[in-house]
Amino acid sequence: MRFSIVLVAVAALAAVSFTTAAPAAPKPGSNAQTLTVLNYALTLEHLEAEFYKQGLAKFNETNFTDAGFDAKVRDRFVHIGEHESEHVATLTSVIESMKGKPVPICNYSFPMDNLTQFLAVAQALENTGVSAYLGAASGLSGDLLTAAAAITTVEARHAAYLNELWGQSGLPYAFDTALGPREIVTIASNFITSCPYKIGVNPFTQLTASLPATGSNSTKVMTSFEGNGNMTDSTFCQFLFGNNVTVSPRSECALPANANGYIFVLVTKDKTPISLAQDSNVLAGPALLFNGTHSG
Ligand SMILES: *[C@@H]1O[C@H](CO)[C@@H](O)[C@H](O)[C@H]1NC(C)=O
Ligand SMILES: *[C@@H]1O[C@H](CO)[C@@H](O)[C@H](O)[C@H]1NC(C)=O
Ligand SMILES: *[C@@H]1O[C@H](CO)[C@@H](O)[C@H](O)[C@H]1NC(C)=O
Ligand SMILES: *[C@@H]1O[C@H](CO)[C@@H](O)[C@H](O)[C@H]1NC(C)=O
Ligand SMILES: *[C@@H]1O[C@H](CO)[C@@H](O)[C@H](O)[C@H]1NC(C)=O
Ligand SMILES: *[C@@H]1O[C@H](CO)[C@@H](O)[C@H](O)[C@H]1NC(C)=O
Ligand SMILES: *[C@@H]1O[C@H](CO)[C@@H](O)[C@H](O)[C@H]1NC(C)=O
Ligand SMILES: *[C@@H]1O[C@H](CO)[C@@H](O)[C@H](O)[C@H]1NC(C)=O
């Protein structure tokens, strides 16, 4: 299976649901638990930093201007990539200073046949990154929490820029969505082909989801996943956006009218809302959708 990675460190990530799910998880608040959270962040930062390295090696300024972007847009991507590399360097040195072992880079496969795909993955990674840091925040305290927050705000600047670049709202909601490690690793594992270490968090089953066609009067999000195809059945769609969780029977899977930016969609076996403390009913997902038009 393509995504048969098992990510190590992330297990105990945050004092959220995961600590109970993982018996071997280090004690909340312990040094080991803090290192687990930091290595989880480092896993994501490696992925982002590597993504920009590969993309910028592939697309030069001409590729951006050919696609109709201002020449300075590529410079923004250079800056974003530099930020991610600096996050990697800082997390690595913090982990070392705590006598931990920083996780190394993995092997990745990023869809970037053309600039459109590169931009789409960048947008997905930055918006997901914000949710990952928010979900991990409760696993940190003191100076480390401040340091992680200082990264989170920068990831949010990146996300806002990319959302606008793409013709969508840079600031769709008054709050952002916190996601737990299994949700995040499900999305990240789309891009990780192998790792020299175990990430320690099992991704959920991948979900394919698509928005209703532009201009159609349908609100139905089409969903499918391995083992359940695209059948409509007694399961539920859950939409996580802003600080909102909206549950809809999968037969309707109705995109909430106020979801006008990123939307994480999952399929669950019952209608208990998903939260950081509760994801035991997830059957597949999240898939990340963006409601809005984009040029490209
Ligand atoms: C980008 O690369 C192409 C070749 O692939 C080259 O023709 C072009 O001059 C390069 N543009 C810049 C701005 O370096
Ligand atoms: C980038 O643009 C050059 C022409 O400047 C083109 O030859 C090349 O295929 C483009 N690269 C990608 C990955 O689209
Ligand atoms: C980019 O590549 C993807 C996948 O090969 C393709 O579906 C899409 O149409 C391409 N977009 C452009 C603008 O070339
Ligand atoms: C990447 O894949 C190659 C084989 O394709 C393997 O030799 C190497 O160990 C992998 N590296 C990582 C970091 O997993
Ligand atoms: C959508 O619009 C078509 C005609 O444009 C109409 O026949 C259909 O009933 C509408 N469906 C809904 C759910 O409103
Ligand atoms: C399921 O997907 C197939 C092909 O992707 C499509 O033809 C069919 O209409 C879909 N069925 C439902 C119930 O969505
Ligand atoms: C969440 O979205 C739903 C569907 O659009 C809406 O009815 C509800 O008021 C929203 N709840 C919150 C807390 O924003
Ligand atoms: C999507 O976002 C737009 C605003 O960008 C909003 O008008 C619309 O109601 C949202 N929902 C759907 C189902 O399109």
Side-chain angles (χ1 to χ4, degrees):
M1 238 192 81
R2 191 175 153 216
F3 303 127
S4 57
I5 47 140
V6 208
L7 305 181
V8 147
V10 212
L13 195 240
V16 297
S17 62
F18 227 72
T19 45
T20 49
K27 230 176 123 214
S30 67
N31 201 58
Q33 187 264 353
T34 302
L35 285 169
T36 298
V37 176
L38 295 175
N39 262 325
Y40 171 63
L42 182 55
T43 295
L44 302 173
E45 295 288 356
H46 272 313
L47 186 151
E48 290 184 326
E50 191 59 27
F51 166 73
Y52 291 104
K53 275 183 201 152
Q54 291 184 17
L56 290 166
K58 194 160 182 176
F59 301 105
N60 69 13
E61 201 178 289
T62 307
N63 298 103
F64 280 79
T65 51
D66 281 354
F69 292 107
D70 191 276
K72 71 169 185 285
V73 170
R74 189 178 181 281
D75 293 339
R76 293 280 193 267
F77 278 80
V78 171
H79 288 147
I80 294 173
E82 285 169 357
H83 293 167
E84 307 304 0
S85 294
E86 287 179 40
H87 295 164
V88 166
T90 297
L91 284 165
T92 300
S93 70
V94 170
I95 290 166
E96 282 168 346
S97 75
M98 293 174 69
K99 309 275 181 264
K101 192 168 175 285
V103 293
I105 66 167
C106 300
N107 280 350
Y108 311 97
S109 171
F110 299 110
M112 45 170 85
D113 290 343
N114 52 47
L115 192 67
T116 306
Q117 284 187 317
F118 176 60
L119 299 185
V121 175
Q123 186 189 22
L125 290 181
E126 298 296 340
N127 282 274
T128 302
V130 173
S131 292
Y133 273 98
L134 287 175
S138 63
L140 296 170
S141 60
D143 290 349
L144 283 177
L145 178 56
T146 304
I151 294 179
T152 313
T153 54
V154 171
E155 301 289 339
R157 290 173 200 265
H158 297 168
Y161 173 72
L162 293 168
N163 292 345
E164 289 281 343
L165 182 68
W166 205 230
Q168 297 168 348
S169 171
L171 39 148
Y173 313 117
F175 301 91
D176 275 319
T177 308
L179 292 179
R182 292 196 70 185
E183 280 87 4
I184 294 297
V185 169
T186 303
I187 293 173
S189 64
N190 276 302
F191 309 111
I192 300 176
T193 50
S194 66
C195 280
Y197 62 97
K198 288 186 175 185
I199 298 180
V201 172
N202 288 322
F204 292 116
T205 300
Q206 292 294 331
L207 180 69
T208 301
S210 54
L211 289 168
T214 321
S216 88
N217 57 4
S218 167
T219 58
K220 185 173 180 180
V221 170
M222 300 304 293
T223 54
S224 65
F225 60 96
E226 206 176 298
N228 201 295
N230 55 3
M231 286 186 301
T232 54
D233 49 29
S234 59
T235 59
F236 293 84
C237 285
Q238 298 211 16
F239 298 94
L240 275 60
F241 58 99
N243 63 350
N244 192 310
V245 182
T246 297
V247 184
S248 170
R250 194 163 165 225
S251 55
E252 295 164 19
C253 202
L255 186 70
N258 53 346
N260 54 7
Y262 66 80
I263 309 133
F264 296 98
V265 52
L266 299 96
V267 173
T268 54
K269 64 184 175 201
D270 59 43
K271 55 184 168 185
T272 309
I274 299 164
S275 67
L276 279 184
Q278 195 301 106
D279 62 10
S280 60
N281 55 344
V282 173
L283 294 173
L288 175 55
L289 300 173
F290 291 92
N291 178 34
T293 52
H294 65 69
S295 54

